[in-house]
Amino acid sequence: MTYTNFTRALALALAAAAVVSVPAQADSFASSASSAGSASSGSISDSIGGSSNSSSGDNKRAETGPYRVIDVAQAPAKAGKEAKTRITLRAVAGDAATQFWVDVPDRALADRRVGKGEVVQVNERVYGYEFAYGDTKQPFFLALQDDWYRDLASRKVTI
């Protein structure tokens, strides 16, 4: 692993840990970050779609800001993949025509679901996008740039 990949992996582990409540014990940090990474994150290419108002044709972009939930439904099933909820969002401010969907693993919403009419805060980060509850600003999902997501994947290590 190169220094850049190590730095990226460390940043992802810390970001993933922020998505869930992590116990103070150091030995549980790694397992909590690992489970947060799998339950509360996904790649942008697999998680976001349907963006409008993109002159470049890139439908994997979202702008930072508040979005109103206009629909919540079960995401189309993919063979071998866990169940996901599709949340369709529309910008609250600015260009209200900006609309897209995000597929969130059901496990990431186990403690608190997102309902139609609620507000979700989207924050653009260096690693991708953070989706948080509008009222508490508590993140519940990270849509990671594809290269960041690949770096987060578990790999078999041989010694």
Side-chain angles (χ1 to χ4, degrees), residues 20-31:
V20 296
S21 298
V22 179
Q25 297 85 3
D27 59 341
S28 64
F29 175 78
S31 64

Side-chain angles (χ1 to χ4, degrees), residues 67-141:
Y67 287 80
R68 178 119 6 240
V69 177
I70 59 171
D71 191 39
V72 178
Q74 193 64 40
K78 294 181 183 176
K81 301 285 186 173
E82 67 181 304
K84 294 183 178 186
T85 296
R86 177 162 289 176
I87 303 169
T88 305
L89 303 166
R90 180 177 295 145
V92 170
D95 187 354
T98 300
Q99 179 176 312
F100 66 96
W101 52 258
V102 59
D103 287 346
V104 179
D106 288 350
R107 292 187 302 149
L109 299 170
D111 291 338
R112 179 179 171 191
R113 305 290 298 170
V114 176
K116 190 173 179 178
E118 288 187 52
V119 173
V120 169
Q121 177 66 36
V122 178
N123 298 306
E124 188 169 7
R125 305 290 188 208
V126 67
Y127 50 78
Y129 299 98
E130 172 190 82
F131 292 84
Y133 299 105
D135 57 351
T136 64
K137 306 299 185 233
Q138 178 69 37
F140 61 87
F141 182 67

